[in-house]
Amino acid sequence: MSKETKGQPAAENPEELHELKVTKPKEWAAGIPAVTAALADVFEETGPTRGALALFTMNQKGGFDCSSCAWPDPDDDRSPIAEYCENGAKALAEEATTKKLTPEFFAENSVADLAKLDDMEIGKKGRIAQPVYLPKGATHYQPISWNDAFHKIGDKLNSLASPDEVAFYTSGRTSNEASFVYQLFVREYGTNNMPDCSNMCHESTSVALAEAIGIGKGTVTLNDFYDTDVIIIVGQNPGTNHPRMLTALEKAKKKGSKIIAINPLHEAGLMGFKNPQTVKGIMGITTQLADVYLQVQINGDMALFKALEKLLYDAEQQQPGTVFDKEFIEKSTVGYDNFIEYVKHFDVDALCATAGVSVEQVKQAADLIKHKSKIIICWAMGITQHKNGVDTVKEIVNLTLLKGSIGKAGAGLCPVRGHSNVQGNRTMIIWDKPKKEQLDKIQEVYGFTPPQKNGLDVVESIKAMHEGKLKVFFAMGGNFLSATPDTTFTADAMRKLELSVHVSTKLNRSHLVHGEEAIILPTLARSDKDVVNGEDQFISCENSMGVVQMSKGILKPVSMELLNETQIVCELAKATLKDRTVIDWDRFANSYDAIRDDIGKVIPGFENYNQRVRLPGGFYLPNAAREGTFKTEKFKDKAPFTITKLPDHKLADDEYMMTTIRSHDQFNTTIYGMDDRYRGIHNERRVIFMNPKDIAKAGFMQGDKVDLFNYYDDIERVARLFVIVPYNIPERNTATYYPEGNVLVPINSVAEKSNCPTSKLVFIKIRKHEG
């Protein structure tokens, strides 16, 4: 075995811990504590006047879109009091803060000193107030003018041997308008190296659904939740990751819907909800959510769905025509006979054992859906971030096809996206693998020939950095280092760059692990007022359910030195392409309407964009699968059943499966605080949740300090100093928070077809901490 010890950069491998307090996990989410926590964060960061103004405007028609999750706003019945959740309010507090980082701050704080802070401390410093530059060999960022920054970047891009020596990353926060001009610039420059955050989350969904139903997006609307019989939530934790979904689930329950929850951990937001906007919720009365809770093993979901399919098949044999939708199957699908021949031989007992749930529980779930067709299946990273992520999504599709639960009201597929406008980015062709028809349309409208070969995704970009093939990394938002797998490998890769550039609102870890030179370009946040040539501008975003709506900031920016993302792209394009360009970048920089006019020429579904986006609530993009038509060219507009292979996980005697999760006090890589009150964790994040039987069997005790090891590819990866916490989780299963656990996620462990990192299943060994 080749041995390479892997630690985490700077403060991510601490010498000591905070004083951890563990309390009983909650069995419900939200309630008055959520309101208290949200308001406390907002008012502390913004003050009461600025904070209240922003809160009453966020997610309202004509207001600005929340910068956290992509859960849709109601079409009609938006709350006039609070159309946001606790995490949305905390995200607002982060961006609307009045604290700012001036040149004096950077002069007083070296990069090395800032790197010693944890991610929460870095993020809490405040908004970046002006462009800053780190010269080669320097220890401190220093101010740089916008003009000098653009020309320094442009000169570097023009000095490279090939445009393919650059990767242009995108975070989900980026608007439709900025995304469109960004990809246009990158392709006129000459590369498709456009990794984005989708590569690390729902890429498995996009690949699977495109092949299975002809579109890489979900098929339901929010109103479908109010007209459904059964909602299945698998590999997703709405209470922490998409809290506004709880209101939709509560409304569905009131209308008689049943909920099946599938998750390795018992999560508060799947069990109960105290709605703080109702008298019932204020009084502390809980709405029960899950009617059946299937606590599967990590990655036991595919086995579970196969068991359900066999139970439904058996029921169909007993009562032909009452369980499967034969008319839909005949009209809209292909491959049914081969698929059923495969299902016939399933062993329900063995599948349930593999899934880690009892046969009786699975039969309860099968009984709930047996005679129903209005079924919605929701999922997130717990499904997609596995080697078999694409196939598990296709297994979910198999179940909906058997039941005819797609293309009708109250039924369909609901991949819940984790970042506001991440779906819109892809619609705007932020993609390393663009379709030929998309490139042809760009050439038709603008007259230049875009690059034809596929570019690099996230994992490929990291490897190319490590190999010295990438010289420059440009990030439009995000915290790339903390979001990516194999933290130390990625950090080593980023340090090999000649130039790293980040368009950001706040300081984060990625600014502190940099190339030979580094530049930070500060931009406006969603809540900031965006004024161009004296006129207020608005942007637009696409949510998880394909609704495009306007977003208009209302707060005075903390600095006059900030530029919006669109202006940054346009000025960079001018500085880089100079007289080679065929595009009028000033036209785009001066008017978002001009960008939207061009989007309407290039991207289907955006005709009359400027008129429709100004309608209250925006407009729905076309979605043929939602209407029951499947644009699967390979299968002649029918949806194929897919035969998938069950994953086979073999553990050594001293080995465990680990999944990475969010705490309730974070959004993606942004850490709001050190508590996770739903799981009973207070004042510490470096914990590992373990089954009590595993703790005893291994000779550990609650509170023991341990180190975690992964040996994928015969490389030793180490995450040091974690505290053992007993938890309701299946035996041989464990969980840690990310980004702290990301150092253990191997760069070469990826989902088949999608190349998505397998952050939800890492094989680890646990040893007493040395030190």
Side-chain angles (χ1 to χ4, degrees):
M1 175 185 291
S2 66
K3 186 171 181 179
E4 181 181 340
T5 300
K6 295 241 174 184
Q8 295 190 25
E12 296 307 289
N13 206 1
E15 295 180 0
E16 58 183 33
L17 298 170
H18 300 89
E19 188 174 341
L20 171 66
K21 179 183 177 183
V22 180
T23 59
K24 183 180 178 182
K26 301 291 186 185
E27 295 183 356
W28 50 268
I32 295 301
V35 177
T36 304
L39 295 181
D41 263 34
V42 171
F43 295 153
E44 178 184 352
E45 292 289 340
T46 68
T49 303
R50 181 178 171 91
L53 174 64
L55 286 172
F56 281 116
T57 310
M58 186 162 66
N59 294 329
Q60 298 294 342
K61 293 177 181 178
F64 63 90
D65 207 25
C66 176
S67 62
S68 56
C69 85
W71 188 254
D73 303 314
D75 289 341
D76 301 311
D77 57 342
R78 299 191 189 187
S79 167
I81 303 173
E83 193 53 63
Y84 55 84
C85 67
E86 176 185 350
N87 280 4
K90 289 179 176 179
L92 173 64
E94 289 277 313
E95 69 175 43
T97 181
T98 54
K99 295 183 294 189
K100 58 184 179 180
L101 308 185
T102 62
E104 290 74 22
F105 171 86
F106 288 104
E108 294 168 1
N109 294 274
S110 70
V111 172
D113 286 340
L114 291 170
K116 294 175 184 176
L117 304 177
D118 63 37
D119 283 1
M120 184 186 76
E121 292 170 323
I122 294 170
K124 293 290 186 184
K125 291 296 181 184
R127 293 283 296 275
I128 302 169
Q130 68 291 306
V132 290
Y133 167 57
L134 185 70
K136 182 176 181 179
T139 58
H140 293 66
Y141 277 101
Q142 59 193 41
I144 185 173
S145 70
W146 278 105
N147 186 63
D148 287 350
F150 289 134
H151 281 91
K152 187 172 286 292
I153 299 167
D155 289 348
K156 184 64 180 180
L157 294 180
N158 287 328
S159 74
L160 299 175
S162 165
D164 289 331
E165 292 184 335
V166 192
F168 294 91
Y169 176 73
T170 312
S171 166
R173 189 204 63 197
T174 307
S175 69
N176 281 355
E177 293 76 10
S179 295
F180 182 78
V181 296
Y182 186 43
Q183 63 84 26
L184 199 60
F185 158 58
V186 172
R187 292 193 164 100
E188 192 180 20
Y189 173 65
T191 185
N192 283 318
N193 286 350
M194 300 200 74
D196 73 321
C197 55
S198 284
N199 297 153
M200 295 183 282
C201 56
H202 266 291
E203 197 66 60
S204 296
T205 293
S206 299
V207 171
L209 294 187
E211 293 181 359
I213 63 171
I215 184 171
K217 302 180 181 182
T219 66
V220 300
T221 69
L222 190 54
N223 287 334
D224 286 323
F225 279 77
Y226 314 143
D227 185 28
T228 189
D229 293 320
V230 181
I231 301 169
I232 301 174
I233 306 171
V234 53
Q236 185 218 353
N237 176 17
T240 289
N241 300 343
H242 312 90
R244 284 203 297 157
M245 183 178 176
L246 297 174
T247 304
L249 296 177
E250 180 186 48
K251 189 171 181 178
K253 290 287 288 189
K254 287 180 179 178
K255 289 179 173 286
S257 298
K258 301 296 183 182
I259 295 177
I260 300 171
I262 305 169
N263 202 292
L265 286 79
H266 267 255
E267 301 285 18
L270 291 170
M271 293 186 284
F273 175 44
K274 294 182 180 180
N275 189 339
Q277 295 196 52
T278 66
V279 174
K280 178 181 173 182
I282 293 172
M283 293 175 62
I285 300 173
T286 303
T287 297
Q288 178 192 345
L289 295 179
D291 296 279
V292 176
Y293 203 122
L294 301 174
Q295 191 175 13
V296 293
Q297 299 270 355
I298 293 171
N299 202 22
D301 314 277
M302 182 183 283
L304 173 62
F305 279 109
K306 288 181 182 293
L308 285 171
E309 290 159 359
K310 179 59 162 65
L311 290 171
L312 295 175
Y313 168 78
D314 291 344
E316 171 70 14
Q317 300 314 297
Q318 295 170 7
Q319 297 176 291
T322 66
V323 179
F324 291 170
D325 188 335
K326 290 295 187 65
E327 181 180 351
F328 171 85
I329 291 169
E330 178 65 27
K331 175 185 174 183
S332 301
T333 74
V334 294
Y336 172 76
D337 290 339
N338 287 339
F339 178 71
I340 286 301
E341 188 62 33
Y342 181 60
V343 170
K344 284 179 184 179
H345 302 289
F346 287 172
D347 182 331
V348 171
D349 288 347
L351 289 168
C352 289
T354 299
V357 290
S358 71
V359 174
E360 288 306 311
Q361 272 196 304
V362 180
K363 286 181 177 178
Q364 290 176 25
D367 287 343
L368 284 183
I369 64 176
K370 186 188 305 180
H371 298 302
K372 306 293 185 184
S373 65
K374 289 186 174 183
I375 302 168
I376 294 173
I377 306 181
C378 309
W379 71 92
M381 309 299 95
I383 293 297
T384 62
Q385 292 179 330
H386 292 281
K387 285 196 173 185
N388 54 296
V390 171
D391 275 355
T392 303
V393 173
K394 288 184 176 180
E395 202 66 64
I396 290 171
V397 174
N398 285 340
L399 182 58
T400 64
L401 297 181
L402 288 174
K403 298 295 297 173
S405 299
I406 187 171
K408 64 174 65 172
L413 301 165
C414 182
V416 186
R417 305 281 177 171
H419 202 169
S420 177
N421 211 44
V422 63
Q423 187 161 295
N425 295 165
R426 185 58 59 85
T427 303
M428 293 296 108
I429 330 180
I430 297 290
W431 196 10
D432 55 286
K433 300 174 182 64
K435 297 178 181 178
K436 183 179 185 301
E437 54 264 35
Q438 293 173 319
L439 298 178
D440 289 347
K441 181 58 72 170
I442 290 173
Q443 182 169 355
E444 175 188 324
V445 172
Y446 295 104
F448 73 88
T449 303
Q452 300 297 305
K453 71 175 182 178
N454 287 345
L456 303 177
D457 62 20
V458 164
V459 169
E460 290 166 343
S461 293
I462 295 169
K463 291 180 179 179
M465 289 182 210
H466 216 280
E467 294 166 4
K469 295 178 180 178
L470 284 182
K471 310 297 185 184
V472 177
F473 178 75
F474 188 102
M476 182 63 74
N479 182 357
F480 187 78
L481 176 63
S482 292
T484 46
D486 220 335
T487 310
T488 303
F489 183 91
T490 301
D492 291 344
M494 295 188 75
R495 292 188 180 106
K496 294 181 179 181
L497 294 164
E498 294 178 5
L499 174 66
S500 52
V501 183
H502 294 269
V503 178
S504 303
T505 56
K506 303 187 73 178
L507 200 64
N508 65 51
R509 178 74 57 193
S510 297
H511 303 141
L512 309 176
V513 179
H514 49 77
E516 291 180 351
E517 297 178 278
I519 295 176
I520 307 174
L521 304 177
T523 191
L524 296 175
R526 289 269 179 88
S527 56
D528 288 333
K529 185 177 290 188
D530 188 353
V531 181
V532 178
N533 295 330
E535 293 188 12
D536 289 353
Q537 302 287 324
F538 70 85
I539 60 171
S540 55
C541 303
E542 178 186 344
N543 64 37
S544 267
M545 296 179 186
V547 177
V548 177
Q549 63 181 359
M550 65 184 294
S551 175
K552 189 173 184 178
I554 48 89
L555 297 180
K556 180 181 178 181
V558 296
S559 169
M560 298 304 293
E561 286 290 311
L562 308 181
L563 291 182
N564 64 53
E565 291 173 321
T566 296
Q567 289 175 313
I568 290 173
V569 172
C570 292
E571 292 301 322
L572 179 58
K574 288 159 58 180
T576 304
L577 301 174
K578 300 180 181 179
D579 58 2
R580 306 196 307 273
T581 187
V582 298
I583 295 168
D584 185 351
W585 296 103
D586 286 331
R587 171 173 166 265
F588 289 155
N590 291 329
S591 172
Y592 293 179
D593 278 355
I595 301 172
R596 287 186 283 267
D597 284 341
D598 275 26
I599 292 172
K601 297 174 185 177
V602 174
I603 301 177
F606 285 88
E607 299 78 10
N608 300 315
Y609 193 175
N610 273 308
Q611 292 73 36
R612 291 192 293 156
V613 78
R614 285 174 163 85
L615 298 173
F619 62 94
Y620 281 89
L621 290 173
N623 188 316
R626 181 178 291 158
E627 307 303 321
T629 301
F630 307 109
K631 300 291 186 180
T632 53
E633 182 178 345
K634 183 177 178 181
F635 299 101
K636 299 181 179 178
D637 291 352
K638 290 191 175 186
F641 284 93
T642 305
I643 294 176
T644 63
K645 183 180 178 182
L646 199 66
D648 183 19
H649 304 308
K650 290 182 172 62
L651 294 173
D653 291 343
D654 61 344
E655 202 168 28
Y656 303 84
M657 293 188 287
M658 184 194 83
T659 189
T660 60
I661 57 177
R662 290 186 199 170
S663 81
H664 186 62
D665 229 359
Q666 75 179 95
F667 177 74
N668 289 346
T669 60
T670 302
I671 312 301
Y672 303 135
M674 302 298 287
D675 294 345
D676 186 358
R677 71 173 186 274
Y678 290 169
R679 298 189 185 101
I681 302 299
H682 306 273
N683 202 42
E684 183 53 76
R685 291 179 50 83
R686 298 187 75 84
V687 300
I688 178 165
F689 297 102
M690 294 182 68
N691 184 287
K693 292 181 180 178
D694 288 334
I695 296 172
K697 184 177 179 180
F700 296 135
M701 295 181 64
Q702 176 177 344
D704 277 354
K705 297 175 182 178
V706 295
D707 298 330
L708 314 179
F709 298 80
N710 168 269
Y711 292 97
Y712 193 90
D713 280 345
D714 289 336
I715 295 172
E716 183 181 78
R717 298 167 180 84
V718 187
R720 299 199 183 279
L721 202 53
F722 281 69
V723 180
I724 291 178
V725 174
Y727 206 76
N728 186 355
I729 188 170
E731 290 182 57
R732 309 294 292 280
N733 288 213
T734 67
T736 60
Y737 297 127
Y738 72 81
E740 290 83 355
N742 285 357
V743 69
L744 299 170
V745 182
I747 190 70
N748 288 323
S749 181
V750 295
E752 296 172 1
K753 288 193 174 184
S754 71
N755 215 35
C756 180
T758 60
S759 301
K760 289 296 181 283
L761 175 52
V762 182
F763 297 98
I764 65 168
K765 297 188 178 187
I766 306 172
R767 299 171 191 153
K768 284 279 185 75
H769 175 65
E770 298 176 2

